[in-house]
């Protein structure tokens, strides 16, 4: 079983990937907004969002397949690992066809009859939709190979492909400046860049991992277990899609594509920030499954607690200075800042902080194989965010009013997930509050108040921004270390820092 040393090594690869892609992605977004303009950028975000929302199948299936891979790898049954791969490809391929058919029919109706956009842009918007759906259908099938890559904990290749993807998108953004039909050209070139890493991943896995070599395999009991487990993951992802993309459509219907542009900017910032915690948790996820499979309850509980705290603290390191200086950062980053961008960015970051609580606990529940209650109850509570958002907007609320609904829904989902995890592990509410809730509250409160007071006396200019960032990072890190980590976690952090220092000295 891979232990903390490998988790740290894998996390390092992912953070190198994240840092490079963060810088490139933010620069790319600025170029794209300038090249397309607010209207076309808003259209691209809402239409591409309609198509990419169908990638929930890919995410749900990838998580499901990875769970089964890790279980059988831990138990040492390579024949069943190959069988899981073969059966997954059949399921993925079937669902890819269904996704393509549903996306084309639903997307045409939305683009033609519902979405608010200039009439002369509708044909371009539909071409964007078709291009993205074809890309996503292939990515859906290819993502079973991604499950193998993550289950094998090959984060080095994962990092290289992410970096190549980021630079490819930068090249496209620059090229679009000089091309006609910018919206369509950008969408088609984006499809090409998105597919290339998956093609490379498929070829690599087929060459290096024997379980990815196709063979006929059928086991009724295993298929039933996989399909049932996947079904609940897909159901939960459908709810996520309805809320996330449904609310984007609501914003388009009530306020037009300019507000979608503002939300697109907020999403770009959020994706860049969220990569910090996502890359860390990508390295941790296989270990949660393996420790449950091995029956190591205390180790599982410790990893869930530690990964939750580290995820939140890593997010907070970036979120705090951005929240304090959102307006200045947006005007420094973009030539023209769409209306509502600043509150959208702040609310999106708060939403992501709350949502990050779910990752370790949901992964642990997934490892048990008992998803039905968590998904059925938690996801339906989360779904209430959509009708509540519609009611609020109908009554004249501003566009950012959708975020409190989303935040409340995700927190309700988190509470339901914790309640189920208690049934299959030694996790308790009291433990969670004492070992996660109280330390996280102290860190966020002390560092937040400290930096708020400091920010109020620092001028709103480039030097002031640099000062706030340079102060915020060590203040947040020090608070996390002193107030947020247990003695064992402090010892682990010190050992890894010392290892990195020794490597640099060599």
């Amino acid at each position: 079983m891979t232990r903390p040393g490998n988790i740290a090594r894998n996390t390092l690869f992912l953070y190198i990937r994240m840092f490079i892609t963060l810088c490139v992605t933010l620069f790319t977004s600025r170029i794209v907004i300038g090249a397309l303009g607010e209207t076309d950028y808003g259209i691209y975000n809402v239409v591409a969002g309609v198509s990419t929302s169908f990638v929930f199948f890919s995410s749900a299936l990838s998580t499901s397949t990875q769970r089964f891979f890790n279980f059988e790898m831990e138990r040492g049954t390579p024949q069943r690992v190959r069988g899981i791969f073969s059966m997954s490809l059949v399921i993925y391929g079937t669902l890819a066809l269904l996704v393509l058919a549903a996306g084309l029919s639903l997307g045409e109706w939305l683009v033609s009859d519902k979405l608010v956009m200039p009439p002369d842009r509708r044909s371009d918007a539909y071409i964007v939709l078709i291009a993205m759906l074809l890309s996503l259908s292939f990515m859906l099938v290819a993502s079973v190979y991604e499950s193998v890559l993550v289950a094998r904990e090959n984060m080095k290749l994962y990092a290289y492909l992410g970096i190549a993807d980021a630079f490819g998108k930068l090249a496209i953004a620059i090229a679009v400046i000089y091309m006609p039909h910018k919206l369509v050209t950008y969408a088609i070139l984006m499809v090409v860049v998105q597919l290339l890493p998956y093609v490379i991943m498929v070829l690599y896995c087929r060459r290096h991992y024997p379980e990815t070599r196709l063979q006929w395999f059928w086991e009724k009991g295993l298929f039933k277990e996989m399909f049932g487990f996947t079904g609940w993951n897909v159901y939960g992802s459908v709810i996520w899609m309805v809320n996330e993309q449904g609310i984007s459509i609501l914003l388009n219907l009530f306020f037009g594509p300019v507000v979608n542009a503002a939300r697109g900017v907020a999403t770009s910032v959020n994706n860049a920030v969220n990569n910090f915690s996502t890359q860390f948790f990508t390295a941790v996820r296989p270990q949660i499954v393996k420790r449950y499979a091995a029956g190591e309850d205390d180790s599982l509980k410790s990893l869930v607690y530690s990964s939750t705290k580290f995820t939140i603290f890593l997010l907070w390191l970036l979120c705090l200075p951005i929240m304090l200086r959102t307006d200045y950062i947006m005007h420094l980053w973009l030539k023209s800042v769409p209306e509502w961008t600043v509150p959208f960015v702040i609310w999106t970051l708060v939403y992501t902080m709350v949502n990050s609580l779910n990752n370790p606990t949901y992964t642990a529940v997934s490892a048990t194989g008992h998803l039905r209650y968590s998904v059925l109850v938690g996801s339906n509570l989360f779904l209430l965010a959509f009708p509540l958002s519609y009611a609020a907007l109908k009554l004249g609320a501003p566009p950012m009013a959708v975020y409190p609904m989303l935040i409340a829904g995700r927190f309700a989902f988190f509470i339901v997930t914790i309640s189920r995890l208690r049934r299959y592990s030694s996790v308790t509410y009291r433990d969670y509050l004492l070992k996660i809730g109280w330390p996280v509250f102290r860190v966020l409160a002390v560092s937040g108040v400290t930096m708020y007071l400091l920010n109020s006396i620092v001028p709103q200019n480039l030097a002031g921004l640099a000062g706030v960032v340079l102060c915020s990072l060590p203040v947040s890190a020090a608070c996390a270390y002193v107030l947020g980590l247990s003695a064992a976690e402090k010892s682990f952090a010190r050992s890894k820092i010392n290892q990195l220092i020794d490597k640099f000295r060599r």
Side-chain angles (χ1 to χ4, degrees):
M1 176 180 293
T2 306
R3 287 302 178 186
N6 281 351
I7 293 177
R9 183 196 63 209
N10 289 335
T11 304
L12 179 61
F13 283 127
L14 293 171
Y15 270 92
I16 293 172
R17 172 187 187 268
M18 176 278 306
F19 180 75
I20 295 173
T21 56
L22 169 65
C23 298
V24 176
T25 299
L26 291 178
F27 184 61
T28 300
S29 299
R30 184 178 188 273
I31 297 174
V32 171
I33 295 170
L36 297 183
E38 286 186 14
T39 300
D40 278 0
Y41 184 70
I43 292 171
Y44 178 81
N45 273 279
V46 71
V47 174
V50 171
S51 59
T52 55
S53 63
F54 286 93
V55 82
F56 63 80
F57 281 110
S58 174
S59 175
L61 288 172
S62 181
T63 300
S64 303
T65 306
Q66 184 194 314
R67 182 257 182 190
F68 284 97
F69 281 151
N70 284 137
F71 245 82
E72 299 306 330
M73 287 176 181
E74 181 64 29
R75 293 174 176 176
T77 53
Q79 182 62 31
R80 282 179 65 84
V81 173
R82 286 193 290 271
I84 288 168
F85 176 84
S86 298
M87 293 177 70
S88 296
L89 273 184
V90 173
I91 298 172
Y92 279 45
T94 302
L95 289 176
L97 294 175
L98 294 175
V99 166
L100 182 61
L104 288 173
S105 57
L106 178 61
E108 182 180 12
W109 170 69
L110 285 171
V111 171
S112 301
D113 301 330
K114 293 298 178 182
L115 296 181
V116 177
M117 65 182 72
D120 62 338
R121 290 290 194 272
R122 291 194 182 274
S123 59
D124 288 353
Y126 191 60
I127 294 173
V128 171
L129 177 72
I130 294 172
M132 296 300 292
L133 283 171
L134 290 172
S135 169
L136 291 170
S137 297
F138 175 81
M139 290 164 60
L140 176 59
V141 176
S143 61
V144 68
Y145 293 88
E146 183 178 359
S147 301
V148 174
L149 205 65
V150 175
R152 287 280 192 168
E153 301 184 60
N154 187 346
M155 303 308 170
K156 184 184 291 187
L157 178 63
Y158 195 73
Y160 290 157
L161 292 177
I163 293 170
D165 178 71
F167 278 104
K169 290 176 181 176
L170 174 60
I172 287 173
I174 296 172
V176 167
I177 297 174
Y178 306 101
M179 292 184 177
H181 308 293
K182 298 183 185 299
L183 179 58
V184 172
T185 302
Y186 178 70
I188 293 173
L189 290 177
M190 280 290 289
V191 167
V192 175
V193 168
Q194 287 170 349
L195 289 182
L196 280 176
Y198 280 90
V199 172
I200 295 170
M201 189 183 300
V202 169
L203 296 175
Y204 180 91
C205 288
R206 287 179 61 83
R207 181 173 180 179
H208 290 87
Y209 300 133
E211 63 267 25
T212 62
R213 293 162 196 166
L214 291 177
Q215 63 175 27
W216 172 250
F217 180 90
W218 180 260
E219 185 179 314
K220 183 178 179 181
L222 178 60
F223 178 81
K224 184 177 179 181
E225 183 183 2
M226 288 179 63
F227 197 79
F229 184 84
T230 300
W232 289 115
N233 258 321
V234 169
Y235 178 80
S237 298
V238 169
I239 301 300
W240 176 273
M241 179 204 72
V242 169
N243 272 347
E244 291 293 317
Q245 191 54 38
I247 283 175
S248 287
I249 293 172
L250 284 181
L251 292 173
N252 177 269
L253 296 177
F254 280 95
F255 302 100
V258 172
V259 169
N260 291 120
R263 194 169 192 231
V265 172
T267 300
S268 295
V269 174
N270 177 66
N271 288 343
V273 170
N274 196 37
N275 271 340
F276 275 85
S277 62
T278 300
Q279 302 312 325
F280 167 75
F281 194 69
T282 298
V284 173
R285 185 185 294 117
Q287 287 303 307
I288 291 179
V289 178
K290 289 180 179 180
R291 293 182 192 191
Y292 179 81
E296 299 178 4
D297 184 70
D298 288 340
S299 179
L300 170 70
K301 181 172 69 172
S302 175
L303 186 57
V304 169
Y305 289 166
S306 297
S307 60
T308 301
K309 286 196 292 185
F310 279 117
T311 298
I312 294 173
F313 294 155
L314 288 168
L315 271 176
W316 185 242
L317 284 173
L318 281 184
C319 287
L320 181 56
I322 293 175
M323 289 176 176
L324 292 172
R325 294 282 167 131
T326 307
D327 187 64
Y328 183 79
I329 291 172
M330 291 300 102
H331 283 88
L332 183 66
W333 174 35
L334 303 175
K335 295 178 181 178
S336 175
V337 181
E339 188 181 5
W340 303 108
T341 297
V342 171
F344 267 39
V345 169
I346 295 173
W347 275 107
T348 301
L349 294 178
V350 173
Y351 175 49
T352 297
M353 291 283 294
V354 173
N355 194 46
S356 68
L357 291 169
N358 281 295
N359 290 337
T361 53
Y362 185 75
T363 300
V365 172
S366 296
T368 70
H370 300 285
L371 282 178
R372 182 175 180 273
Y373 182 88
S374 294
V375 173
L376 192 61
V377 177
S379 294
N380 286 337
L381 287 174
F382 181 47
L383 182 59
L384 293 175
F386 182 73
L388 291 175
S389 295
Y390 176 79
L393 296 178
K394 192 72 174 177
L395 293 172
M400 74 281 295
V402 301
Y403 281 98
M405 316 297 179
L406 290 169
I407 290 169
R410 289 312 285 174
F411 190 75
F413 185 93
F414 165 70
I415 296 298
V416 172
T417 304
I418 284 288
S419 73
R420 300 312 290 173
L421 185 57
R422 290 172 64 243
R423 293 194 61 179
Y424 305 105
S425 72
S426 56
V427 171
T428 65
Y429 290 130
R430 184 176 184 276
D431 258 6
Y432 202 93
L433 287 172
L434 290 177
K435 295 183 179 180
I436 298 179
W438 176 236
V440 167
F441 173 78
R442 289 190 300 177
V443 171
L444 268 58
V446 173
S447 59
V449 170
T450 300
M451 288 309 305
Y452 177 80
L453 295 174
L454 180 62
N455 180 67
S456 65
I457 61 174
V458 176
Q460 293 283 340
N461 52 34
L462 186 59
L465 173 63
V468 168
V469 172
L470 291 175
C471 290
S472 177
L473 294 178
V475 166
S476 297
C479 288
Y481 182 82
V482 175
L483 302 174
L485 301 184
S486 65
E489 290 163 347
K490 289 178 182 177
S491 176
F492 174 76
R494 287 196 301 269
S495 69
K496 295 309 165 187
I497 291 172
N498 289 333
Q499 287 178 16
L500 288 175
I501 292 173
D502 290 340
K503 286 182 181 179
F504 281 119
R505 285 176 177 173
R506 293 172 192 167

